[in-house]
Amino acid sequence: MTLAIETGGLTRRFGQVCAVDGLDLQVERGRFYGFLGPNGAGKSTTIKMLTGLLAPTSGSMNILGEDVRNRDKAREVKRRIGVVPENLALFDNLTAREYLTFVGRMYLLPLPTVRERCQELLSMMSLENEEKKLTLEFSHGMKKKLALAAALIPNPDLLFLDEPFEGVDAVASRVLRDILKRCVERGATVFLTSHVLEIVEKLCTDVGVIAKGKLVYQGSMQQVRESGTLEEMFIKAVGGDQHESQKLSWLEG
């Protein structure tokens, strides 16, 4: 089994708060991995550590077979990954083409390659007619598509997506889903966080659940289906069934 992501005891503390607590992840290459959890469970903190945006307090991380605690190894790995962060982190005063060109050059891609990929990505994301607009003027959905285009421009082996479907309309969501499916079909690994369980159930081959910083479930989607639905497994894993008996007094009659 060749792993795209492997962590051992991965932990991140913020003062007295333990946001991620001893995480042991195993994500096979070429798989579509859904990383689920309630709000504040530690999903975004985990992605920030895996992508090098946040240093872990303790534990190990191997990304694409490399120990990323080594700075030289980490630098090489970063050239092989794409990231769509939760806050998008776009440059407001650039056009879509200017932004993609900047990202492509940051990955040290040759300029002719950057130009070719920019054109294809802008067309695929239906942004080719927005040449004169700054990203500041983009709708939320347009920004999501541009962020995904930027993550795809290096043709990554591993793609990290933090809530890519949040606030996206049905048309844009369909485009994003089709692109991600194609990425996995060509051998890339996708690591996705999302609160939309329906999308995770349709797209993902594997799933992990984090609650209060701890990994409480990890398995294939096939294993999930054999025992019920993704929603049922998720609620049980995070202890959500404990709230089923709670009621609002004024709604009882």
Side-chain angles (χ1 to χ4, degrees), residues 35-96:
F35 191 52
L36 310 177
N39 291 327
K43 301 185 300 297
S44 294
T45 300
T46 299
I47 283 188
K48 287 175 182 176
M49 287 191 287
L50 295 176
T51 56
L53 297 176
L54 188 65
T57 303
S58 61
S60 63
M61 297 186 297
N62 284 280
I63 308 297
L64 297 174
E66 302 289 353
D67 184 349
V68 292
R69 291 174 298 181
N70 181 303
R71 288 190 177 184
D72 292 333
K73 298 288 187 182
R75 189 179 300 112
E76 288 303 311
V77 166
K78 286 180 181 179
R79 294 180 62 180
R80 299 170 58 196
I81 68 174
V83 185
V84 178
E86 186 178 26
N87 60 5
L88 299 183
L90 303 176
F91 293 153
D92 288 342
N93 292 315
L94 296 179
T95 65

Side-chain angles (χ1 to χ4, degrees), residues 44 46-53 63 77-90 99-100 103 107 143-164 180 189-191 193:
S44 294
T46 299
I47 283 188
K48 287 175 182 176
M49 287 191 287
L50 295 176
T51 56
L53 297 176
I63 308 297
V77 166
K78 286 180 181 179
R79 294 180 62 180
R80 299 170 58 196
I81 68 174
V83 185
V84 178
E86 186 178 26
N87 60 5
L88 299 183
L90 303 176
Y99 179 69
L100 291 180
V103 172
Y107 275 99
K143 288 181 178 180
K144 286 277 188 179
K145 289 194 288 185
L146 179 57
L148 180 58
L152 291 173
I153 204 167
N155 191 22
D157 295 318
L158 175 57
L159 191 57
F160 291 94
L161 308 172
D162 197 354
E163 297 290 352
L180 295 176
T189 306
V190 176
F191 187 90
T193 75

